[in-house]
């Protein structure tokens, strides 16, 4: 019974949220990172897998292992495109993450409020979870002076794999498991409306999940469009990087970005 109940609850929650609180762009394009990247106070720093340090300043000056590199006009264009694309992708990532949290917060809170009522500890725990996730976004993407920052450490080689995604899933499972007793009692009360018919209860929860999905459909579609735009921006950065790698001395080992999928630029 516990397994069935937990499954019903999680299924209802997941059906109710077409986008979770992390950047779901994998169905559009895959962006893998080889090496590491930081963006701090306008300085874009890449450490390649072979150990070179590549710095691009806010004025788009290129340094390789602390040595300034003189560029012709075409090379400078690729460096500027690379910098601008990554600089653009960071706030887009923040916006997508925030929108995903907003959608997930509404959907999951509605599911558990339907089961437990408005005044329940589990809903408060989820509110705390989503507040913590928002705070993590602030810590990861904002410097103390309010400017954007980015550090690929903890992203496990994937720009789209926001560091809080696994934590988000684990915390949901933990909250459900910790509240199984209350949920079973609530399910029992809810099933009284169906005279103890589990199938009827499951159908009602499924319909409830579909209702919530309809209510957030517009926001979910907008989130998907933003994810596609992010893919295009990252693909542009990947293309500029490949031009830099082939044409600028000292950058043969630069291969930070690898984009695959339908948003990859073809030029």
């Amino acid at each position: 019974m516990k397994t069935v109940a937990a499954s019903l609850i999680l299924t209802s929650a997941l059906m109710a949220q077409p986008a979770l609180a992390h950047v779901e762009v994998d169905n559009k394009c895959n962006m893998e990172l080889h090496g590491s990247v930081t963006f701090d106070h306008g300085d874009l720093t890449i450490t390649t897998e072979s150990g070179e340090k590549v710095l691009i300043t806010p004025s788009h000056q290129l340094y390789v292992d602390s040595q300034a590199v003189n560029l012709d006009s075409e090379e400078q264009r690729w460096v500027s495109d690379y910098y601008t694309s990554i600089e653009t992708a960071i706030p887009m990532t923040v916006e997508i993450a925030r929108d995903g949290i907003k959608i997930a917060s509404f959907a999951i809170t509605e599911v558990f409020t339907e089961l437990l009522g408005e005044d329940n500890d589990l809903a408060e725990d989820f509110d705390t979870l989503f507040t913590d996730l928002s705070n993590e976004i602030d810590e990861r993407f904002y410097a103390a002076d309010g400017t954007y920052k980015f550090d690929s450490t903890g992203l496990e080689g994937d720009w789209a794999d926001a560091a809080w995604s696994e934590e988000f899933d684990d915390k949901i499972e933990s909250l459900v498991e910790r509240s199984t007793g209350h949920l079973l009692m609530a399910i029992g009360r809810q099933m009284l409306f169906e005279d103890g018919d589990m199938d009827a209860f499951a159908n009602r929860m499924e319909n409830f999940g579909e209702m919530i999905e309809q209510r957030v459909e517009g926001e979910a579609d907008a989130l998907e469009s933003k994810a596609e735009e992010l893919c295009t921006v990252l693909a542009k950065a990947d293309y500029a990087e490949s031009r830099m790698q082939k044409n600028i001395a000292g950058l043969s080992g630069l291969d930070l970005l690898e984009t695959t999928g339908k948003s990859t630029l073809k030029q």
Side-chain angles (χ1 to χ4, degrees):
M1 177 63 178
K2 285 187 178 182
T3 302
V4 173
S7 177
L8 282 170
I9 295 162
L10 286 173
T11 299
S12 299
L14 293 174
M15 285 183 59
Q17 50 168 337
L20 294 176
H22 56 283
V23 187
E24 289 285 4
V25 300
D26 290 331
N27 61 332
K28 300 300 177 186
C29 68
N30 296 316
M31 171 58 67
E32 295 185 9
L33 298 178
H34 305 288
S36 64
V37 55
T38 63
F39 185 88
D40 191 15
H41 291 91
D43 285 338
L44 175 64
T45 305
I46 296 98
T47 303
T48 70
E49 290 185 321
S50 54
E52 291 97 352
K53 294 281 188 180
V54 179
L55 168 67
I56 305 176
T57 68
S59 61
H60 300 179
Q61 173 66 55
L62 174 68
Y63 293 83
V64 178
D65 290 332
S66 301
Q67 298 297 314
V69 179
N70 293 321
L71 305 171
D72 62 29
S73 58
E74 183 178 21
E75 291 168 344
Q76 184 63 65
R77 179 164 67 91
W78 295 127
V79 170
S80 295
D81 283 352
Y82 187 62
Y83 179 97
T84 301
S85 296
I86 293 180
E87 181 185 37
T88 300
I90 295 170
M92 293 177 72
T93 302
V94 175
E95 185 177 3
I96 290 170
R98 288 198 178 281
D99 288 352
I101 288 176
K102 178 181 176 182
I103 294 172
S105 176
F106 168 78
I108 291 180
T109 299
E110 287 292 301
V111 169
F112 287 98
T113 298
E114 169 74 4
L115 285 171
L116 302 177
E118 293 185 3
D119 298 324
N120 66 86
D121 292 339
L122 189 57
E124 293 179 4
D125 288 341
F126 273 114
D127 284 340
T128 300
L129 166 62
F130 291 121
T131 298
D132 289 345
L133 288 171
S134 294
N135 290 337
E136 286 185 30
I137 290 176
D138 290 340
E139 292 176 4
R140 175 169 289 275
F141 289 107
Y142 292 99
D145 61 1
T147 58
Y148 285 110
K149 67 176 183 177
F150 183 80
D151 186 345
S152 65
T153 303
L155 295 188
E156 299 182 356
D158 189 343
W159 183 289
D161 181 19
W164 53 83
S165 60
E166 183 175 350
E167 178 185 358
F168 174 82
D169 294 337
D170 290 344
K171 285 186 176 180
I172 287 181
E173 291 182 13
S174 175
L175 287 175
V176 171
E177 290 175 2
R178 188 156 49 84
S179 304
T180 297
H182 294 294
L183 291 168
L184 288 172
M185 292 175 62
I187 288 172
R189 289 193 299 270
Q190 294 288 331
M191 286 181 61
L192 291 176
F193 294 105
E194 281 85 25
D195 296 323
D197 188 337
M198 177 61 81
D199 289 337
F201 173 73
N203 289 335
R204 187 164 69 83
M205 289 305 299
E206 182 176 347
N207 292 335
F208 177 71
E210 291 174 352
M211 180 271 292
I212 295 177
E213 184 173 354
Q214 290 173 1
R215 290 179 61 180
V216 301
E217 184 175 5
E219 284 129 348
D221 288 344
L223 183 62
E224 184 176 0
S225 295
K226 291 178 182 179
E228 292 177 0
E229 292 172 6
L230 174 61
C231 283
T232 299
V233 170
L234 290 173
K236 182 177 180 181
D238 185 24
Y239 183 76
E241 180 182 80
S242 68
R243 298 296 91 196
M244 293 165 59
Q245 182 186 30
K246 292 179 180 179
N247 297 294
I248 300 177
L251 295 185
S252 59
L254 179 63
D255 190 22
L256 176 73
L257 304 173
E258 179 184 352
T259 308
T260 58
K262 74 176 187 180
S263 291
T264 302
L265 295 181
K266 298 185 182 298
Q267 297 191 31

